[in-house]
PDB file of all heavy atoms in Angstrom:
ATOM      1  N   PHE B   1     -79.314  -4.578  23.114  1.00  0.00           N
ATOM      2  CA  PHE B   1     -79.599  -3.348  23.935  1.00  0.00           C
ATOM      3  C   PHE B   1     -81.012  -2.839  23.720  1.00  0.00           C
ATOM      4  O   PHE B   1     -81.579  -2.801  22.533  1.00  0.00           O
ATOM      5  CB  PHE B   1     -78.664  -2.261  23.527  1.00  0.00           C
ATOM      6  CG  PHE B   1     -77.161  -2.590  23.927  1.00  0.00           C
ATOM      7  CD1 PHE B   1     -76.377  -3.284  23.110  1.00  0.00           C
ATOM      8  CD2 PHE B   1     -76.784  -2.190  25.185  1.00  0.00           C
ATOM      9  CE1 PHE B   1     -75.007  -3.546  23.465  1.00  0.00           C
ATOM     10  CE2 PHE B   1     -75.503  -2.554  25.586  1.00  0.00           C
ATOM     11  CZ  PHE B   1     -74.563  -3.282  24.732  1.00  0.00           C
ATOM     12  N   SER B   2     -81.646  -2.330  24.766  1.00  0.00           N
ATOM     13  CA  SER B   2     -82.866  -1.619  24.563  1.00  0.00           C
ATOM     14  C   SER B   2     -82.455  -0.147  24.026  1.00  0.00           C
ATOM     15  O   SER B   2     -81.375   0.246  24.238  1.00  0.00           O
ATOM     16  CB  SER B   2     -83.508  -1.389  25.951  1.00  0.00           C
ATOM     17  OG  SER B   2     -83.874  -2.649  26.521  1.00  0.00           O
ATOM     18  N   SER B   3     -83.417   0.414  23.365  1.00  0.00           N
ATOM     19  CA  SER B   3     -83.228   1.740  22.762  1.00  0.00           C
ATOM     20  C   SER B   3     -83.008   2.769  23.826  1.00  0.00           C
ATOM     21  O   SER B   3     -83.697   2.856  24.838  1.00  0.00           O
ATOM     22  CB  SER B   3     -84.362   2.153  21.802  1.00  0.00           C
ATOM     23  OG  SER B   3     -85.665   2.003  22.521  1.00  0.00           O
ATOM     24  N   ASN B   4     -81.926   3.576  23.666  1.00  0.00           N
ATOM     25  CA  ASN B   4     -81.579   4.652  24.562  1.00  0.00           C
ATOM     26  C   ASN B   4     -81.596   5.983  23.822  1.00  0.00           C
ATOM     27  O   ASN B   4     -80.518   6.381  23.419  1.00  0.00           O
ATOM     28  CB  ASN B   4     -80.144   4.286  25.233  1.00  0.00           C
ATOM     29  CG  ASN B   4     -79.732   5.358  26.234  1.00  0.00           C
ATOM     30  OD1 ASN B   4     -80.348   6.346  26.383  1.00  0.00           O
ATOM     31  ND2 ASN B   4     -78.663   4.913  26.991  1.00  0.00           N
ATOM     32  N   TYR B   5     -82.710   6.510  23.621  1.00  0.00           N
ATOM     33  CA  TYR B   5     -82.817   7.635  22.722  1.00  0.00           C
ATOM     34  C   TYR B   5     -82.121   8.906  23.336  1.00  0.00           C
ATOM     35  O   TYR B   5     -81.801   9.726  22.536  1.00  0.00           O
ATOM     36  CB  TYR B   5     -84.393   7.963  22.508  1.00  0.00           C
ATOM     37  CG  TYR B   5     -84.979   6.840  21.733  1.00  0.00           C
ATOM     38  CD1 TYR B   5     -86.051   6.113  22.339  1.00  0.00           C
ATOM     39  CD2 TYR B   5     -84.590   6.466  20.474  1.00  0.00           C
ATOM     40  CE1 TYR B   5     -86.706   5.135  21.622  1.00  0.00           C
ATOM     41  CE2 TYR B   5     -85.233   5.412  19.732  1.00  0.00           C
ATOM     42  CZ  TYR B   5     -86.232   4.663  20.328  1.00  0.00           C
ATOM     43  OH  TYR B   5     -86.825   3.667  19.689  1.00  0.00           O
ATOM     44  N   THR B   6     -82.031   8.954  24.682  1.00  0.00           N
ATOM     45  CA  THR B   6     -81.372  10.065  25.232  1.00  0.00           C
ATOM     46  C   THR B   6     -79.850  10.124  24.779  1.00  0.00           C
ATOM     47  O   THR B   6     -79.299  11.149  24.404  1.00  0.00           O
ATOM     48  CB  THR B   6     -81.454  10.092  26.789  1.00  0.00           C
ATOM     49  OG1 THR B   6     -82.823  10.029  27.166  1.00  0.00           O
ATOM     50  CG2 THR B   6     -80.725  11.233  27.460  1.00  0.00           C
ATOM     51  N   LEU B   7     -79.251   8.952  24.872  1.00  0.00           N
ATOM     52  CA  LEU B   7     -77.873   8.755  24.493  1.00  0.00           C
ATOM     53  C   LEU B   7     -77.741   9.071  22.940  1.00  0.00           C
ATOM     54  O   LEU B   7     -76.846   9.795  22.451  1.00  0.00           O
ATOM     55  CB  LEU B   7     -77.338   7.366  24.722  1.00  0.00           C
ATOM     56  CG  LEU B   7     -75.913   7.024  24.202  1.00  0.00           C
ATOM     57  CD1 LEU B   7     -74.920   7.949  24.908  1.00  0.00           C
ATOM     58  CD2 LEU B   7     -75.666   5.555  24.470  1.00  0.00           C
ATOM     59  N   TYR B   8     -78.656   8.579  22.160  1.00  0.00           N
ATOM     60  CA  TYR B   8     -78.497   8.652  20.636  1.00  0.00           C
ATOM     61  C   TYR B   8     -78.759  10.170  20.228  1.00  0.00           C
ATOM     62  O   TYR B   8     -78.002  10.574  19.351  1.00  0.00           O
ATOM     63  CB  TYR B   8     -79.562   7.751  20.066  1.00  0.00           C
ATOM     64  CG  TYR B   8     -79.566   6.334  20.414  1.00  0.00           C
ATOM     65  CD1 TYR B   8     -80.597   5.566  20.360  1.00  0.00           C
ATOM     66  CD2 TYR B   8     -78.431   5.728  20.817  1.00  0.00           C
ATOM     67  CE1 TYR B   8     -80.661   4.235  20.737  1.00  0.00           C
ATOM     68  CE2 TYR B   8     -78.298   4.337  21.203  1.00  0.00           C
ATOM     69  CZ  TYR B   8     -79.508   3.639  21.207  1.00  0.00           C
ATOM     70  OH  TYR B   8     -79.499   2.310  21.572  1.00  0.00           O
ATOM     71  N   ALA B   9     -79.578  10.799  20.835  1.00  0.00           N
ATOM     72  CA  ALA B   9     -79.944  12.316  20.538  1.00  0.00           C
ATOM     73  C   ALA B   9     -78.662  13.101  20.917  1.00  0.00           C
ATOM     74  O   ALA B   9     -78.254  13.969  20.131  1.00  0.00           O
ATOM     75  CB  ALA B   9     -81.065  12.795  21.280  1.00  0.00           C
ATOM     76  N   ASP B  10     -77.991  12.778  22.021  1.00  0.00           N
ATOM     77  CA  ASP B  10     -76.797  13.588  22.439  1.00  0.00           C
ATOM     78  C   ASP B  10     -75.678  13.316  21.428  1.00  0.00           C
ATOM     79  O   ASP B  10     -74.944  14.227  21.107  1.00  0.00           O
ATOM     80  CB  ASP B  10     -76.513  13.276  23.879  1.00  0.00           C
ATOM     81  CG  ASP B  10     -75.325  14.152  24.394  1.00  0.00           C
ATOM     82  OD1 ASP B  10     -75.624  15.407  24.573  1.00  0.00           O
ATOM     83  OD2 ASP B  10     -74.218  13.712  24.553  1.00  0.00           O
ATOM     84  N   MET B  11     -75.439  12.092  21.082  1.00  0.00           N
ATOM     85  CA  MET B  11     -74.318  11.708  20.216  1.00  0.00           C
ATOM     86  C   MET B  11     -74.591  12.289  18.868  1.00  0.00           C
ATOM     87  O   MET B  11     -73.657  12.739  18.172  1.00  0.00           O
ATOM     88  CB  MET B  11     -74.170  10.276  20.126  1.00  0.00           C
ATOM     89  CG  MET B  11     -73.729   9.548  21.423  1.00  0.00           C
ATOM     90  SD  MET B  11     -72.129  10.243  22.042  1.00  0.00           S
ATOM     91  CE  MET B  11     -71.009   9.567  20.805  1.00  0.00           C
ATOM     92  N   SER B  12     -75.810  12.300  18.442  1.00  0.00           N
ATOM     93  CA  SER B  12     -76.218  12.843  17.129  1.00  0.00           C
ATOM     94  C   SER B  12     -75.889  14.400  17.222  1.00  0.00           C
ATOM     95  O   SER B  12     -75.290  15.011  16.248  1.00  0.00           O
ATOM     96  CB  SER B  12     -77.700  12.652  16.857  1.00  0.00           C
ATOM     97  OG  SER B  12     -78.119  13.500  15.710  1.00  0.00           O
ATOM     98  N   ALA B  13     -76.235  15.102  18.244  1.00  0.00           N
ATOM     99  CA  ALA B  13     -75.966  16.514  18.359  1.00  0.00           C
ATOM    100  C   ALA B  13     -74.440  16.817  18.283  1.00  0.00           C
ATOM    101  O   ALA B  13     -73.997  17.868  17.681  1.00  0.00           O
ATOM    102  CB  ALA B  13     -76.516  17.052  19.708  1.00  0.00           C
ATOM    103  N   ARG B  14     -73.628  15.971  18.852  1.00  0.00           N
ATOM    104  CA  ARG B  14     -72.202  16.146  18.816  1.00  0.00           C
ATOM    105  C   ARG B  14     -71.691  16.021  17.349  1.00  0.00           C
ATOM    106  O   ARG B  14     -70.890  16.776  16.938  1.00  0.00           O
ATOM    107  CB  ARG B  14     -71.495  15.122  19.742  1.00  0.00           C
ATOM    108  CG  ARG B  14     -71.767  15.337  21.176  1.00  0.00           C
ATOM    109  CD  ARG B  14     -71.397  14.259  22.003  1.00  0.00           C
ATOM    110  NE  ARG B  14     -71.880  14.378  23.430  1.00  0.00           N
ATOM    111  CZ  ARG B  14     -71.091  14.545  24.469  1.00  0.00           C
ATOM    112  NH1 ARG B  14     -69.700  14.562  24.301  1.00  0.00           N
ATOM    113  NH2 ARG B  14     -71.525  14.760  25.700  1.00  0.00           N
ATOM    114  N   VAL B  15     -72.218  14.947  16.686  1.00  0.00           N
ATOM    115  CA  VAL B  15     -71.722  14.773  15.305  1.00  0.00           C
ATOM    116  C   VAL B  15     -72.171  15.925  14.414  1.00  0.00           C
ATOM    117  O   VAL B  15     -71.353  16.516  13.594  1.00  0.00           O
ATOM    118  CB  VAL B  15     -72.359  13.477  14.662  1.00  0.00           C
ATOM    119  CG1 VAL B  15     -72.089  13.357  13.178  1.00  0.00           C
ATOM    120  CG2 VAL B  15     -71.752  12.313  15.385  1.00  0.00           C
ATOM    121  N   MET B  16     -73.486  16.427  14.523  1.00  0.00           N
ATOM    122  CA  MET B  16     -74.032  17.500  13.781  1.00  0.00           C
ATOM    123  C   MET B  16     -73.283  18.826  14.053  1.00  0.00           C
ATOM    124  O   MET B  16     -73.052  19.605  13.065  1.00  0.00           O
ATOM    125  CB  MET B  16     -75.461  17.659  14.072  1.00  0.00           C
ATOM    126  CG  MET B  16     -76.327  16.448  13.569  1.00  0.00           C
ATOM    127  SD  MET B  16     -75.862  15.812  11.836  1.00  0.00           S
ATOM    128  CE  MET B  16     -76.739  14.242  11.979  1.00  0.00           C
ATOM    129  N   ASN B  17     -72.878  19.077  15.298  1.00  0.00           N
ATOM    130  CA  ASN B  17     -72.169  20.258  15.607  1.00  0.00           C
ATOM    131  C   ASN B  17     -70.732  20.270  14.919  1.00  0.00           C
ATOM    132  O   ASN B  17     -70.294  21.391  14.517  1.00  0.00           O
ATOM    133  CB  ASN B  17     -71.937  20.414  17.105  1.00  0.00           C
ATOM    134  CG  ASN B  17     -73.239  20.772  17.784  1.00  0.00           C
ATOM    135  OD1 ASN B  17     -74.170  21.419  17.213  1.00  0.00           O
ATOM    136  ND2 ASN B  17     -73.414  20.529  19.100  1.00  0.00           N
ATOM    137  N   ILE B  18     -70.177  19.152  14.837  1.00  0.00           N
ATOM    138  CA  ILE B  18     -68.802  19.111  14.056  1.00  0.00           C
ATOM    139  C   ILE B  18     -69.065  19.449  12.607  1.00  0.00           C
ATOM    140  O   ILE B  18     -68.340  20.287  12.031  1.00  0.00           O
ATOM    141  CB  ILE B  18     -68.139  17.725  14.217  1.00  0.00           C
ATOM    142  CG1 ILE B  18     -67.849  17.486  15.707  1.00  0.00           C
ATOM    143  CG2 ILE B  18     -66.997  17.673  13.352  1.00  0.00           C
ATOM    144  CD1 ILE B  18     -67.367  15.987  15.902  1.00  0.00           C
ATOM    145  N   ILE B  19     -70.093  18.934  12.013  1.00  0.00           N
ATOM    146  CA  ILE B  19     -70.478  19.149  10.684  1.00  0.00           C
ATOM    147  C   ILE B  19     -70.804  20.669  10.406  1.00  0.00           C
ATOM    148  O   ILE B  19     -70.277  21.238   9.509  1.00  0.00           O
ATOM    149  CB  ILE B  19     -71.638  18.262  10.268  1.00  0.00           C
ATOM    150  CG1 ILE B  19     -71.205  16.802  10.193  1.00  0.00           C
ATOM    151  CG2 ILE B  19     -72.100  18.611   8.725  1.00  0.00           C
ATOM    152  CD1 ILE B  19     -72.359  15.824  10.046  1.00  0.00           C
ATOM    153  N   LYS B  20     -71.491  21.181  11.299  1.00  0.00           N
ATOM    154  CA  LYS B  20     -71.930  22.662  11.124  1.00  0.00           C
ATOM    155  C   LYS B  20     -70.821  23.550  11.285  1.00  0.00           C
ATOM    156  O   LYS B  20     -70.730  24.590  10.703  1.00  0.00           O
ATOM    157  CB  LYS B  20     -72.926  22.993  12.158  1.00  0.00           C
ATOM    158  CG  LYS B  20     -74.390  22.339  11.927  1.00  0.00           C
ATOM    159  CD  LYS B  20     -75.384  22.680  13.043  1.00  0.00           C
ATOM    160  CE  LYS B  20     -76.718  21.987  12.803  1.00  0.00           C
ATOM    161  NZ  LYS B  20     -77.551  22.324  13.967  1.00  0.00           N
ATOM    162  N   ASP B  21     -69.728  23.207  11.990  1.00  0.00           N
ATOM    163  CA  ASP B  21     -68.498  23.957  12.232  1.00  0.00           C
ATOM    164  C   ASP B  21     -67.759  23.985  10.871  1.00  0.00           C
ATOM    165  O   ASP B  21     -66.934  24.971  10.730  1.00  0.00           O
ATOM    166  CB  ASP B  21     -67.552  23.404  13.298  1.00  0.00           C
ATOM    167  CG  ASP B  21     -68.181  23.701  14.699  1.00  0.00           C
ATOM    168  OD1 ASP B  21     -69.000  24.649  14.801  1.00  0.00           O
ATOM    169  OD2 ASP B  21     -67.720  22.962  15.721  1.00  0.00           O
ATOM    170  N   HIS B  22     -67.905  23.016  10.013  1.00  0.00           N
ATOM    171  CA  HIS B  22     -67.167  23.003   8.756  1.00  0.00           C
ATOM    172  C   HIS B  22     -67.986  23.561   7.633  1.00  0.00           C
ATOM    173  O   HIS B  22     -67.284  24.033   6.706  1.00  0.00           O
ATOM    174  CB  HIS B  22     -66.846  21.509   8.445  1.00  0.00           C
ATOM    175  CG  HIS B  22     -65.598  20.965   9.253  1.00  0.00           C
ATOM    176  ND1 HIS B  22     -65.661  20.655  10.476  1.00  0.00           N
ATOM    177  CD2 HIS B  22     -64.348  20.741   8.768  1.00  0.00           C
ATOM    178  CE1 HIS B  22     -64.437  20.262  10.868  1.00  0.00           C
ATOM    179  NE2 HIS B  22     -63.672  20.245   9.856  1.00  0.00           N
ATOM    180  N   PHE B  23     -69.261  23.497   7.651  1.00  0.00           N
ATOM    181  CA  PHE B  23     -70.023  23.934   6.542  1.00  0.00           C
ATOM    182  C   PHE B  23     -71.165  24.950   6.996  1.00  0.00           C
ATOM    183  O   PHE B  23     -71.930  24.621   7.868  1.00  0.00           O
ATOM    184  CB  PHE B  23     -70.645  22.746   5.879  1.00  0.00           C
ATOM    185  CG  PHE B  23     -69.711  21.735   5.316  1.00  0.00           C
ATOM    186  CD1 PHE B  23     -69.404  20.603   6.136  1.00  0.00           C
ATOM    187  CD2 PHE B  23     -68.919  21.916   4.268  1.00  0.00           C
ATOM    188  CE1 PHE B  23     -68.488  19.661   5.721  1.00  0.00           C
ATOM    189  CE2 PHE B  23     -68.053  21.015   3.813  1.00  0.00           C
ATOM    190  CZ  PHE B  23     -67.783  19.879   4.519  1.00  0.00           C
ATOM    191  N   ASP B  24     -71.217  26.047   6.360  1.00  0.00           N
ATOM    192  CA  ASP B  24     -72.309  27.050   6.689  1.00  0.00           C
ATOM    193  C   ASP B  24     -73.718  26.585   6.204  1.00  0.00           C
ATOM    194  O   ASP B  24     -74.696  26.797   6.920  1.00  0.00           O
ATOM    195  CB  ASP B  24     -72.028  28.383   5.971  1.00  0.00           C
ATOM    196  CG  ASP B  24     -70.812  29.064   6.533  1.00  0.00           C
ATOM    197  OD1 ASP B  24     -70.433  28.751   7.697  1.00  0.00           O
ATOM    198  OD2 ASP B  24     -70.110  29.733   5.794  1.00  0.00           O
ATOM    199  N   ASN B  25     -73.750  25.898   5.081  1.00  0.00           N
ATOM    200  CA  ASN B  25     -75.046  25.399   4.518  1.00  0.00           C
ATOM    201  C   ASN B  25     -75.258  23.964   4.864  1.00  0.00           C
ATOM    202  O   ASN B  25     -74.891  23.055   4.073  1.00  0.00           O
ATOM    203  CB  ASN B  25     -75.024  25.630   2.978  1.00  0.00           C
ATOM    204  CG  ASN B  25     -76.441  25.721   2.391  1.00  0.00           C
ATOM    205  OD1 ASN B  25     -77.387  25.721   3.147  1.00  0.00           O
ATOM    206  ND2 ASN B  25     -76.585  25.797   1.107  1.00  0.00           N
ATOM    207  N   THR B  26     -75.792  23.751   6.023  1.00  0.00           N
ATOM    208  CA  THR B  26     -76.063  22.355   6.557  1.00  0.00           C
ATOM    209  C   THR B  26     -77.511  22.084   6.789  1.00  0.00           C
ATOM    210  O   THR B  26     -78.149  22.878   7.420  1.00  0.00           O
ATOM    211  CB  THR B  26     -75.260  22.148   7.814  1.00  0.00           C
ATOM    212  OG1 THR B  26     -73.868  22.308   7.521  1.00  0.00           O
ATOM    213  CG2 THR B  26     -75.367  20.764   8.302  1.00  0.00           C
ATOM    214  N   GLU B  27     -77.983  20.835   6.346  1.00  0.00           N
ATOM    215  CA  GLU B  27     -79.337  20.507   6.691  1.00  0.00           C
ATOM    216  C   GLU B  27     -79.243  19.139   7.512  1.00  0.00           C
ATOM    217  O   GLU B  27     -78.864  18.221   6.986  1.00  0.00           O
ATOM    218  CB  GLU B  27     -80.175  20.219   5.400  1.00  0.00           C
ATOM    219  CG  GLU B  27     -81.527  19.682   5.747  1.00  0.00           C
ATOM    220  CD  GLU B  27     -82.284  19.282   4.489  1.00  0.00           C
ATOM    221  OE1 GLU B  27     -81.911  19.685   3.391  1.00  0.00           O
ATOM    222  OE2 GLU B  27     -83.256  18.545   4.621  1.00  0.00           O
ATOM    223  N   VAL B  28     -79.733  19.266   8.820  1.00  0.00           N
ATOM    224  CA  VAL B  28     -79.775  18.109   9.583  1.00  0.00           C
ATOM    225  C   VAL B  28     -81.131  17.388   9.144  1.00  0.00           C
ATOM    226  O   VAL B  28     -82.229  17.777   9.502  1.00  0.00           O
ATOM    227  CB  VAL B  28     -79.886  18.379  11.067  1.00  0.00           C
ATOM    228  CG1 VAL B  28     -80.029  17.170  11.853  1.00  0.00           C
ATOM    229  CG2 VAL B  28     -78.519  19.118  11.529  1.00  0.00           C
ATOM    230  N   TYR B  29     -80.872  16.319   8.434  1.00  0.00           N
ATOM    231  CA  TYR B  29     -82.063  15.648   7.756  1.00  0.00           C
ATOM    232  C   TYR B  29     -82.744  14.659   8.695  1.00  0.00           C
ATOM    233  O   TYR B  29     -83.940  14.505   8.742  1.00  0.00           O
ATOM    234  CB  TYR B  29     -81.522  14.802   6.454  1.00  0.00           C
ATOM    235  CG  TYR B  29     -82.636  14.194   5.745  1.00  0.00           C
ATOM    236  CD1 TYR B  29     -83.800  14.882   5.110  1.00  0.00           C
ATOM    237  CD2 TYR B  29     -82.746  12.822   5.709  1.00  0.00           C
ATOM    238  CE1 TYR B  29     -84.741  14.190   4.460  1.00  0.00           C
ATOM    239  CE2 TYR B  29     -83.724  12.108   4.999  1.00  0.00           C
ATOM    240  CZ  TYR B  29     -84.732  12.845   4.459  1.00  0.00           C
ATOM    241  OH  TYR B  29     -85.743  12.254   3.702  1.00  0.00           O
ATOM    242  N   SER B  30     -81.876  13.954   9.539  1.00  0.00           N
ATOM    243  CA  SER B  30     -82.462  13.045  10.519  1.00  0.00           C
ATOM    244  C   SER B  30     -81.500  12.866  11.652  1.00  0.00           C
ATOM    245  O   SER B  30     -80.437  13.575  11.631  1.00  0.00           O
ATOM    246  CB  SER B  30     -82.714  11.615   9.894  1.00  0.00           C
ATOM    247  OG  SER B  30     -81.549  11.075   9.465  1.00  0.00           O
ATOM    248  N   ILE B  31     -81.810  11.944  12.650  1.00  0.00           N
ATOM    249  CA  ILE B  31     -80.905  11.739  13.783  1.00  0.00           C
ATOM    250  C   ILE B  31     -79.488  11.392  13.318  1.00  0.00           C
ATOM    251  O   ILE B  31     -78.519  11.666  13.989  1.00  0.00           O
ATOM    252  CB  ILE B  31     -81.526  10.881  14.779  1.00  0.00           C
ATOM    253  CG1 ILE B  31     -80.773  10.924  16.111  1.00  0.00           C
ATOM    254  CG2 ILE B  31     -81.516   9.428  14.266  1.00  0.00           C
ATOM    255  CD1 ILE B  31     -81.457  10.191  17.288  1.00  0.00           C
ATOM    256  N   ASP B  32     -79.307  10.677  12.220  1.00  0.00           N
ATOM    257  CA  ASP B  32     -78.076  10.203  11.795  1.00  0.00           C
ATOM    258  C   ASP B  32     -77.625  10.592  10.404  1.00  0.00           C
ATOM    259  O   ASP B  32     -76.665  10.036   9.848  1.00  0.00           O
ATOM    260  CB  ASP B  32     -78.037   8.729  11.891  1.00  0.00           C
ATOM    261  CG  ASP B  32     -79.015   8.005  10.939  1.00  0.00           C
ATOM    262  OD1 ASP B  32     -79.957   8.654  10.424  1.00  0.00           O
ATOM    263  OD2 ASP B  32     -78.944   6.763  10.743  1.00  0.00           O
ATOM    264  N   GLU B  33     -78.257  11.651   9.815  1.00  0.00           N
ATOM    265  CA  GLU B  33     -77.973  12.092   8.455  1.00  0.00           C
ATOM    266  C   GLU B  33     -77.928  13.639   8.386  1.00  0.00           C
ATOM    267  O   GLU B  33     -78.713  14.265   9.055  1.00  0.00           O
ATOM    268  CB  GLU B  33     -78.962  11.574   7.438  1.00  0.00           C
ATOM    269  CG  GLU B  33     -78.884  10.067   7.277  1.00  0.00           C
ATOM    270  CD  GLU B  33     -80.036   9.614   6.318  1.00  0.00           C
ATOM    271  OE1 GLU B  33     -81.210   9.937   6.592  1.00  0.00           O
ATOM    272  OE2 GLU B  33     -79.743   9.053   5.196  1.00  0.00           O
ATOM    273  N   ALA B  34     -77.001  14.119   7.578  1.00  0.00           N
ATOM    274  CA  ALA B  34     -77.040  15.697   7.228  1.00  0.00           C
ATOM    275  C   ALA B  34     -76.530  15.812   5.840  1.00  0.00           C
ATOM    276  O   ALA B  34     -75.606  15.154   5.419  1.00  0.00           O
ATOM    277  CB  ALA B  34     -76.130  16.283   8.310  1.00  0.00           C
ATOM    278  N   PHE B  35     -77.179  16.802   5.226  1.00  0.00           N
ATOM    279  CA  PHE B  35     -76.828  17.212   3.891  1.00  0.00           C
ATOM    280  C   PHE B  35     -75.965  18.497   4.086  1.00  0.00           C
ATOM    281  O   PHE B  35     -76.332  19.356   4.889  1.00  0.00           O
ATOM    282  CB  PHE B  35     -78.013  17.577   3.024  1.00  0.00           C
ATOM    283  CG  PHE B  35     -78.736  16.374   2.524  1.00  0.00           C
ATOM    284  CD1 PHE B  35     -79.994  15.948   3.078  1.00  0.00           C
ATOM    285  CD2 PHE B  35     -78.205  15.545   1.488  1.00  0.00           C
ATOM    286  CE1 PHE B  35     -80.680  14.852   2.514  1.00  0.00           C
ATOM    287  CE2 PHE B  35     -78.933  14.448   0.994  1.00  0.00           C
ATOM    288  CZ  PHE B  35     -80.125  14.108   1.510  1.00  0.00           C
ATOM    289  N   VAL B  36     -74.905  18.563   3.190  1.00  0.00           N
ATOM    290  CA  VAL B  36     -74.193  19.949   3.205  1.00  0.00           C
ATOM    291  C   VAL B  36     -73.915  20.294   1.709  1.00  0.00           C
ATOM    292  O   VAL B  36     -73.893  19.460   0.880  1.00  0.00           O
ATOM    293  CB  VAL B  36     -72.840  19.775   3.941  1.00  0.00           C
ATOM    294  CG1 VAL B  36     -72.990  19.469   5.403  1.00  0.00           C
ATOM    295  CG2 VAL B  36     -71.803  18.687   3.210  1.00  0.00           C
ATOM    296  N   SER B  37     -73.850  21.595   1.538  1.00  0.00           N
ATOM    297  CA  SER B  37     -73.647  22.101   0.176  1.00  0.00           C
ATOM    298  C   SER B  37     -72.218  22.716   0.149  1.00  0.00           C
ATOM    299  O   SER B  37     -71.806  23.489   1.001  1.00  0.00           O
ATOM    300  CB  SER B  37     -74.631  23.232  -0.104  1.00  0.00           C
ATOM    301  OG  SER B  37     -74.430  23.788  -1.443  1.00  0.00           O
ATOM    302  N   ILE B  38     -71.457  22.404  -0.911  1.00  0.00           N
ATOM    303  CA  ILE B  38     -70.078  22.832  -0.978  1.00  0.00           C
ATOM    304  C   ILE B  38     -69.783  23.287  -2.415  1.00  0.00           C
ATOM    305  O   ILE B  38     -70.293  22.694  -3.382  1.00  0.00           O
ATOM    306  CB  ILE B  38     -68.994  21.772  -0.435  1.00  0.00           C
ATOM    307  CG1 ILE B  38     -69.035  20.608  -1.295  1.00  0.00           C
ATOM    308  CG2 ILE B  38     -69.011  21.598   1.035  1.00  0.00           C
ATOM    309  CD1 ILE B  38     -69.991  19.451  -0.800  1.00  0.00           C
ATOM    310  N   ASN B  39     -68.802  24.224  -2.573  1.00  0.00           N
ATOM    311  CA  ASN B  39     -68.336  24.682  -3.887  1.00  0.00           C
ATOM    312  C   ASN B  39     -66.853  24.143  -3.968  1.00  0.00           C
ATOM    313  O   ASN B  39     -66.029  24.346  -3.146  1.00  0.00           O
ATOM    314  CB  ASN B  39     -68.349  26.070  -4.100  1.00  0.00           C
ATOM    315  CG  ASN B  39     -69.821  26.573  -4.288  1.00  0.00           C
ATOM    316  OD1 ASN B  39     -70.471  26.208  -5.209  1.00  0.00           O
ATOM    317  ND2 ASN B  39     -70.345  27.256  -3.230  1.00  0.00           N
TER     318      ASN B  39
END
């Protein structure tokens, strides 16, 4: 497949939104990675 950055960016946003819904302290580090802080 040729790179489809429009699709990848949208899918990334969907994943990151789920993560942000679960954790207040979230850092979107890259298109496919996120750090979260938990106690």
Side-chain angles (χ1 to χ4, degrees):
F1 292 90
S2 301
S3 49
N4 185 347
Y5 297 118
T6 303
L7 174 65
Y8 307 152
D10 186 70
M11 294 301 291
S12 172
R14 293 166 187 246
V15 171
M16 299 307 165
N17 285 337
I18 295 171
I19 296 170
K20 289 176 182 177
D21 284 344
H22 280 71
F23 304 100
D24 294 329
N25 202 6
T26 300
E27 175 188 343
V28 178
Y29 181 66
S30 68
I31 193 170
D32 62 348
E33 295 176 299
F35 287 105
V36 300
S37 177
I38 59 271
N39 287 294

